[in-house]
Amino acid sequence: MIRRIIKQGDPLLEQVCAPVTEFDERLARVLDDMHETLDKAEGVGLAGPQIGYMRRVFIMHLGEGVRVEAINPKIVKTYGRQEVKEGCLSVPDTWGIVIRPKKCKLRAQNRHGEWYTLVLKDLGAQCACHENDHLDGHLFIEKVERLIDPEEAQA
Ligand code: CO
């Protein structure tokens, strides 16, 4: 089921999310809905609070069928830096330049509760950090070095 994506200004986007404790059918359904919602929005990442699910969950669609589900995630290590163009499905029509790590090590659980470690770089590292910030109530606009206009964002 496609869920409505909550927009900037909604207090839910400013809250700290609680850990997931039940790896059950409900969690599986939320994750499936998040994938469907992200496909429809043609985005790269989506965090639980963006659909009003106030738990520590995010997903990423990194191209070529690479789909990541991160539950109770932690960015355990970061490497280097990259200056990137960034936007957010909860902040429509707004893009900015943000400094993110070039690489990061993500530790998280899958939908069955099993822990895994994933090393991400470039877009993957950018996206994981962006989505992880959502779980602590932070939006990318707090980190923007400068806003850019839509034409520059496409380039
Ligand atoms: Co976002």
Side-chain angles (χ1 to χ4, degrees), residues 48-81:
Q50 293 182 277
I51 58 156
Y53 181 70
M54 303 310 292
R55 298 278 177 170
R56 305 191 77 81
V57 170
F58 69 73
I59 62 161
M60 299 190 287
H61 291 177
L62 297 174
E64 294 176 16
V66 178
R67 294 184 165 216
V68 176
E69 296 179 345
I71 296 148
N72 298 328
K74 281 193 172 57
I75 309 283
V76 292
K77 210 163 174 172
T78 61
Y79 313 82
R81 72 197 279 279

mmCIF file of all heavy atoms in Angstrom, residues 48-81:
data_model
loop_
_atom_site.group_PDB
_atom_site.id
_atom_site.type_symbol
_atom_site.label_atom_id
_atom_site.label_comp_id
_atom_site.label_asym_id
_atom_site.label_seq_id
_atom_site.Cartn_x
_atom_site.Cartn_y
_atom_site.Cartn_z
ATOM 1 N N GLY A 48 11.189 5.606 8.352
ATOM 2 C CA GLY A 48 9.899 5.345 8.996
ATOM 3 C C GLY A 48 9.076 6.588 9.302
ATOM 4 O O GLY A 48 7.891 6.661 8.925
ATOM 5 N N PRO A 49 9.651 7.593 9.981
ATOM 6 C CA PRO A 49 8.851 8.757 10.362
ATOM 7 C C PRO A 49 8.251 9.507 9.171
ATOM 8 O O PRO A 49 7.242 10.196 9.320
ATOM 9 C CB PRO A 49 9.840 9.648 11.124
ATOM 10 C CG PRO A 49 11.190 9.113 10.821
ATOM 11 C CD PRO A 49 11.013 7.657 10.543
ATOM 12 N N GLN A 50 8.834 9.325 7.981
ATOM 13 C CA GLN A 50 8.284 10.008 6.794
ATOM 14 C C GLN A 50 6.913 9.480 6.397
ATOM 15 O O GLN A 50 6.185 10.130 5.653
ATOM 16 C CB GLN A 50 9.253 9.896 5.601
ATOM 17 C CG GLN A 50 10.552 10.662 5.814
ATOM 18 C CD GLN A 50 11.448 10.570 4.604
ATOM 19 O OE1 GLN A 50 12.174 9.614 4.427
ATOM 20 N NE2 GLN A 50 11.382 11.565 3.738
ATOM 21 N N ILE A 51 6.573 8.275 6.895
ATOM 22 C CA ILE A 51 5.201 7.785 6.680
ATOM 23 C C ILE A 51 4.458 7.683 8.019
ATOM 24 O O ILE A 51 3.429 7.014 8.122
ATOM 25 C CB ILE A 51 5.166 6.425 5.927
ATOM 26 C CG1 ILE A 51 5.946 5.348 6.682
ATOM 27 C CG2 ILE A 51 5.713 6.584 4.510
ATOM 28 C CD1 ILE A 51 5.494 3.931 6.337
ATOM 29 N N GLY A 52 5.017 8.317 9.044
ATOM 30 C CA GLY A 52 4.355 8.335 10.351
ATOM 31 C C GLY A 52 4.591 7.082 11.181
ATOM 32 O O GLY A 52 3.921 6.864 12.187
ATOM 33 N N TYR A 53 5.554 6.260 10.764
ATOM 34 C CA TYR A 53 5.920 5.061 11.533
ATOM 35 C C TYR A 53 7.124 5.440 12.390
ATOM 36 O O TYR A 53 8.244 5.589 11.891
ATOM 37 C CB TYR A 53 6.250 3.907 10.575
ATOM 38 C CG TYR A 53 6.612 2.608 11.253
ATOM 39 C CD1 TYR A 53 5.656 1.854 11.934
ATOM 40 C CD2 TYR A 53 7.913 2.113 11.206
ATOM 41 C CE1 TYR A 53 5.986 0.658 12.554
ATOM 42 C CE2 TYR A 53 8.261 0.911 11.819
ATOM 43 C CZ TYR A 53 7.287 0.189 12.479
ATOM 44 O OH TYR A 53 7.625 -0.995 13.094
ATOM 45 N N MET A 54 6.881 5.646 13.693
ATOM 46 C CA MET A 54 7.878 6.286 14.543
ATOM 47 C C MET A 54 8.854 5.285 15.175
ATOM 48 O O MET A 54 9.062 5.257 16.391
ATOM 49 C CB MET A 54 7.185 7.131 15.616
ATOM 50 C CG MET A 54 6.244 8.196 15.028
ATOM 51 S SD MET A 54 6.999 9.218 13.727
ATOM 52 C CE MET A 54 8.184 10.126 14.711
ATOM 53 N N ARG A 55 9.432 4.454 14.322
ATOM 54 C CA ARG A 55 10.417 3.461 14.754
ATOM 55 C C ARG A 55 11.685 3.601 13.937
ATOM 56 O O ARG A 55 11.676 4.169 12.848
ATOM 57 C CB ARG A 55 9.851 2.048 14.563
ATOM 58 C CG ARG A 55 8.612 1.780 15.381
ATOM 59 C CD ARG A 55 8.985 1.408 16.783
ATOM 60 N NE ARG A 55 7.794 1.207 17.606
ATOM 61 C CZ ARG A 55 7.824 0.692 18.820
ATOM 62 N NH1 ARG A 55 8.983 0.327 19.356
ATOM 63 N NH2 ARG A 55 6.726 0.561 19.515
ATOM 64 N N ARG A 56 12.775 3.011 14.465
ATOM 65 C CA ARG A 56 14.084 3.180 13.819
ATOM 66 C C ARG A 56 14.234 2.225 12.627
ATOM 67 O O ARG A 56 14.809 1.135 12.740
ATOM 68 C CB ARG A 56 15.214 2.998 14.839
ATOM 69 C CG ARG A 56 15.046 3.937 16.045
ATOM 70 C CD ARG A 56 16.262 3.990 16.940
ATOM 71 N NE ARG A 56 17.328 4.792 16.380
ATOM 72 C CZ ARG A 56 17.390 6.107 16.438
ATOM 73 N NH1 ARG A 56 16.450 6.797 17.052
ATOM 74 N NH2 ARG A 56 18.406 6.757 15.894
ATOM 75 N N VAL A 57 13.702 2.686 11.508
ATOM 76 C CA VAL A 57 13.698 1.900 10.274
ATOM 77 C C VAL A 57 13.935 2.829 9.089
ATOM 78 O O VAL A 57 13.326 3.894 9.023
ATOM 79 C CB VAL A 57 12.325 1.227 10.064
ATOM 80 C CG1 VAL A 57 12.217 0.615 8.678
ATOM 81 C CG2 VAL A 57 12.066 0.178 11.123
ATOM 82 N N PHE A 58 14.828 2.443 8.185
ATOM 83 C CA PHE A 58 14.847 3.122 6.878
ATOM 84 C C PHE A 58 15.144 2.122 5.779
ATOM 85 O O PHE A 58 15.623 1.011 6.039
ATOM 86 C CB PHE A 58 15.806 4.324 6.857
ATOM 87 C CG PHE A 58 17.292 4.016 6.935
ATOM 88 C CD1 PHE A 58 17.966 3.471 5.856
ATOM 89 C CD2 PHE A 58 18.016 4.349 8.081
ATOM 90 C CE1 PHE A 58 19.331 3.220 5.917
ATOM 91 C CE2 PHE A 58 19.393 4.097 8.156
ATOM 92 C CZ PHE A 58 20.048 3.533 7.068
ATOM 93 N N ILE A 59 14.802 2.519 4.561
ATOM 94 C CA ILE A 59 15.101 1.682 3.397
ATOM 95 C C ILE A 59 15.839 2.530 2.368
ATOM 96 O O ILE A 59 15.735 3.757 2.379
ATOM 97 C CB ILE A 59 13.830 1.076 2.756
ATOM 98 C CG1 ILE A 59 12.893 2.169 2.225
ATOM 99 C CG2 ILE A 59 13.096 0.170 3.740
ATOM 100 C CD1 ILE A 59 11.875 1.668 1.213
ATOM 101 N N MET A 60 16.581 1.848 1.485
ATOM 102 C CA MET A 60 17.273 2.550 0.403
ATOM 103 C C MET A 60 17.104 1.746 -0.879
ATOM 104 O O MET A 60 17.150 0.509 -0.852
ATOM 105 C CB MET A 60 18.775 2.680 0.713
ATOM 106 C CG MET A 60 19.064 3.464 1.989
ATOM 107 S SD MET A 60 20.824 3.851 2.184
ATOM 108 C CE MET A 60 21.500 2.245 2.600
ATOM 109 N N HIS A 61 16.919 2.435 -1.991
ATOM 110 C CA HIS A 61 16.918 1.830 -3.325
ATOM 111 C C HIS A 61 18.107 2.419 -4.066
ATOM 112 O O HIS A 61 18.057 3.565 -4.509
ATOM 113 C CB HIS A 61 15.628 2.172 -4.077
ATOM 114 C CG HIS A 61 14.400 1.510 -3.505
ATOM 115 N ND1 HIS A 61 13.147 1.738 -3.993
ATOM 116 C CD2 HIS A 61 14.269 0.619 -2.487
ATOM 117 C CE1 HIS A 61 12.272 0.996 -3.301
ATOM 118 N NE2 HIS A 61 12.919 0.333 -2.375
ATOM 119 N N LEU A 62 19.191 1.657 -4.140
ATOM 120 C CA LEU A 62 20.438 2.209 -4.639
ATOM 121 C C LEU A 62 20.714 1.872 -6.106
ATOM 122 O O LEU A 62 21.834 1.962 -6.569
ATOM 123 C CB LEU A 62 21.598 1.757 -3.742
ATOM 124 C CG LEU A 62 21.506 2.262 -2.290
ATOM 125 C CD1 LEU A 62 22.609 1.655 -1.440
ATOM 126 C CD2 LEU A 62 21.570 3.792 -2.238
ATOM 127 N N GLY A 63 19.693 1.488 -6.831
ATOM 128 C CA GLY A 63 19.881 1.218 -8.254
ATOM 129 C C GLY A 63 20.272 -0.219 -8.517
ATOM 130 O O GLY A 63 20.780 -0.921 -7.623
ATOM 131 N N GLU A 64 20.018 -0.691 -9.747
ATOM 132 C CA GLU A 64 20.326 -2.059 -10.163
ATOM 133 C C GLU A 64 19.782 -3.086 -9.181
ATOM 134 O O GLU A 64 20.433 -4.092 -8.872
ATOM 135 C CB GLU A 64 21.829 -2.241 -10.369
ATOM 136 C CG GLU A 64 22.340 -1.400 -11.540
ATOM 137 C CD GLU A 64 23.856 -1.469 -11.722
ATOM 138 O OE1 GLU A 64 24.475 -2.374 -11.154
ATOM 139 O OE2 GLU A 64 24.386 -0.597 -12.426
ATOM 140 N N GLY A 65 18.587 -2.809 -8.670
ATOM 141 C CA GLY A 65 17.915 -3.781 -7.805
ATOM 142 C C GLY A 65 18.465 -3.893 -6.392
ATOM 143 O O GLY A 65 18.067 -4.782 -5.641
ATOM 144 N N VAL A 66 19.394 -2.995 -6.034
ATOM 145 C CA VAL A 66 19.944 -3.047 -4.680
ATOM 146 C C VAL A 66 18.978 -2.365 -3.713
ATOM 147 O O VAL A 66 18.757 -1.155 -3.783
ATOM 148 C CB VAL A 66 21.339 -2.379 -4.597
ATOM 149 C CG1 VAL A 66 21.867 -2.398 -3.169
ATOM 150 C CG2 VAL A 66 22.307 -3.056 -5.540
ATOM 151 N N ARG A 67 18.385 -3.172 -2.844
ATOM 152 C CA ARG A 67 17.411 -2.659 -1.880
ATOM 153 C C ARG A 67 17.892 -2.999 -0.473
ATOM 154 O O ARG A 67 18.168 -4.147 -0.180
ATOM 155 C CB ARG A 67 16.043 -3.277 -2.136
ATOM 156 C CG ARG A 67 15.513 -2.814 -3.469
ATOM 157 C CD ARG A 67 14.119 -3.291 -3.765
ATOM 158 N NE ARG A 67 13.630 -2.488 -4.886
ATOM 159 C CZ ARG A 67 12.383 -2.081 -5.026
ATOM 160 N NH1 ARG A 67 11.468 -2.412 -4.153
ATOM 161 N NH2 ARG A 67 12.035 -1.333 -6.052
ATOM 162 N N VAL A 68 18.023 -1.962 0.339
ATOM 163 C CA VAL A 68 18.529 -2.150 1.697
ATOM 164 C C VAL A 68 17.403 -1.868 2.683
ATOM 165 O O VAL A 68 16.673 -0.890 2.537
ATOM 166 C CB VAL A 68 19.719 -1.193 1.966
ATOM 167 C CG1 VAL A 68 20.201 -1.306 3.407
ATOM 168 C CG2 VAL A 68 20.861 -1.465 0.988
ATOM 169 N N GLU A 69 17.248 -2.745 3.658
ATOM 170 C CA GLU A 69 16.324 -2.503 4.771
ATOM 171 C C GLU A 69 17.174 -2.427 6.027
ATOM 172 O O GLU A 69 17.883 -3.379 6.350
ATOM 173 C CB GLU A 69 15.313 -3.654 4.897
ATOM 174 C CG GLU A 69 14.400 -3.775 3.697
ATOM 175 C CD GLU A 69 13.404 -4.935 3.793
ATOM 176 O OE1 GLU A 69 13.591 -5.834 4.653
ATOM 177 O OE2 GLU A 69 12.442 -4.930 3.016
ATOM 178 N N ALA A 70 17.117 -1.288 6.711
ATOM 179 C CA ALA A 70 17.940 -1.098 7.909
ATOM 180 C C ALA A 70 17.035 -0.853 9.108
ATOM 181 O O ALA A 70 16.319 0.142 9.162
ATOM 182 C CB ALA A 70 18.906 0.061 7.707
ATOM 183 N N ILE A 71 17.070 -1.792 10.045
ATOM 184 C CA ILE A 71 16.248 -1.699 11.248
ATOM 185 C C ILE A 71 17.179 -1.553 12.445
ATOM 186 O O ILE A 71 18.192 -2.253 12.534
ATOM 187 C CB ILE A 71 15.347 -2.951 11.350
ATOM 188 C CG1 ILE A 71 14.391 -2.958 10.146
ATOM 189 C CG2 ILE A 71 14.565 -2.969 12.655
ATOM 190 C CD1 ILE A 71 14.021 -4.314 9.671
ATOM 191 N N ASN A 72 16.851 -0.612 13.324
ATOM 192 C CA ASN A 72 17.710 -0.241 14.450
ATOM 193 C C ASN A 72 19.145 0.041 13.990
ATOM 194 O O ASN A 72 20.111 -0.464 14.576
ATOM 195 C CB ASN A 72 17.682 -1.332 15.529
ATOM 196 C CG ASN A 72 16.292 -1.528 16.102
ATOM 197 O OD1 ASN A 72 15.507 -0.586 16.193
ATOM 198 N ND2 ASN A 72 15.960 -2.748 16.511
ATOM 199 N N PRO A 73 19.276 0.838 12.928
ATOM 200 C CA PRO A 73 20.599 1.055 12.323
ATOM 201 C C PRO A 73 21.513 1.930 13.174
ATOM 202 O O PRO A 73 21.048 2.770 13.955
ATOM 203 C CB PRO A 73 20.255 1.785 11.017
ATOM 204 C CG PRO A 73 18.998 2.517 11.327
ATOM 205 C CD PRO A 73 18.225 1.625 12.249
ATOM 206 N N LYS A 74 22.809 1.684 12.972
ATOM 207 C CA LYS A 74 23.830 2.557 13.551
ATOM 208 C C LYS A 74 24.911 2.762 12.504
ATOM 209 O O LYS A 74 25.347 1.804 11.871
ATOM 210 C CB LYS A 74 24.455 1.891 14.783
ATOM 211 C CG LYS A 74 23.588 2.016 16.011
ATOM 212 C CD LYS A 74 24.332 1.636 17.283
ATOM 213 C CE LYS A 74 23.507 1.944 18.515
ATOM 214 N NZ LYS A 74 22.193 1.272 18.504
ATOM 215 N N ILE A 75 25.313 4.033 12.326
ATOM 216 C CA ILE A 75 26.479 4.315 11.483
ATOM 217 C C ILE A 75 27.668 4.156 12.425
ATOM 218 O O ILE A 75 27.903 5.011 13.273
ATOM 219 C CB ILE A 75 26.433 5.752 10.912
ATOM 220 C CG1 ILE A 75 25.083 6.049 10.230
ATOM 221 C CG2 ILE A 75 27.619 6.016 9.986
ATOM 222 C CD1 ILE A 75 24.872 5.476 8.872
ATOM 223 N N VAL A 76 28.377 3.055 12.306
ATOM 224 C CA VAL A 76 29.421 2.762 13.293
ATOM 225 C C VAL A 76 30.769 3.382 12.932
ATOM 226 O O VAL A 76 31.623 3.533 13.795
ATOM 227 C CB VAL A 76 29.573 1.246 13.558
ATOM 228 C CG1 VAL A 76 28.342 0.715 14.261
ATOM 229 C CG2 VAL A 76 29.829 0.473 12.278
ATOM 230 N N LYS A 77 30.956 3.717 11.640
ATOM 231 C CA LYS A 77 32.223 4.318 11.230
ATOM 232 C C LYS A 77 32.010 5.128 9.961
ATOM 233 O O LYS A 77 31.207 4.744 9.119
ATOM 234 C CB LYS A 77 33.255 3.212 10.983
ATOM 235 C CG LYS A 77 34.652 3.643 11.256
ATOM 236 C CD LYS A 77 35.598 2.479 11.410
ATOM 237 C CE LYS A 77 36.962 3.118 11.536
ATOM 238 N NZ LYS A 77 38.064 2.501 11.823
ATOM 239 N N THR A 78 32.720 6.239 9.871
ATOM 240 C CA THR A 78 32.646 7.022 8.634
ATOM 241 C C THR A 78 34.071 7.281 8.138
ATOM 242 O O THR A 78 35.020 7.300 8.930
ATOM 243 C CB THR A 78 31.935 8.382 8.832
ATOM 244 O OG1 THR A 78 32.669 9.160 9.781
ATOM 245 C CG2 THR A 78 30.504 8.207 9.332
ATOM 246 N N TYR A 79 34.191 7.445 6.827
ATOM 247 C CA TYR A 79 35.497 7.675 6.204
ATOM 248 C C TYR A 79 35.396 8.815 5.192
ATOM 249 O O TYR A 79 34.491 8.812 4.346
ATOM 250 C CB TYR A 79 35.969 6.441 5.432
ATOM 251 C CG TYR A 79 35.849 5.123 6.150
ATOM 252 C CD1 TYR A 79 34.632 4.440 6.171
ATOM 253 C CD2 TYR A 79 36.957 4.554 6.784
ATOM 254 C CE1 TYR A 79 34.511 3.199 6.811
ATOM 255 C CE2 TYR A 79 36.856 3.318 7.423
ATOM 256 C CZ TYR A 79 35.630 2.649 7.433
ATOM 257 O OH TYR A 79 35.512 1.437 8.050
ATOM 258 N N GLY A 80 36.303 9.754 5.267
ATOM 259 C CA GLY A 80 36.395 10.800 4.241
ATOM 260 C C GLY A 80 35.194 11.723 4.206
ATOM 261 O O GLY A 80 34.374 11.747 5.138
ATOM 262 N N ARG A 81 35.110 12.502 3.140
ATOM 263 C CA ARG A 81 33.987 13.410 2.982
ATOM 264 C C ARG A 81 33.671 13.598 1.510
ATOM 265 O O ARG A 81 34.530 13.423 0.654
ATOM 266 C CB ARG A 81 34.283 14.753 3.657
ATOM 267 C CG ARG A 81 35.301 15.619 2.950
ATOM 268 C CD ARG A 81 35.856 16.711 3.853
ATOM 269 N NE ARG A 81 34.976 17.870 3.966
ATOM 270 C CZ ARG A 81 34.879 18.857 3.082
ATOM 271 N NH1 ARG A 81 35.554 18.799 1.957
ATOM 272 N NH2 ARG A 81 34.092 19.879 3.299
#
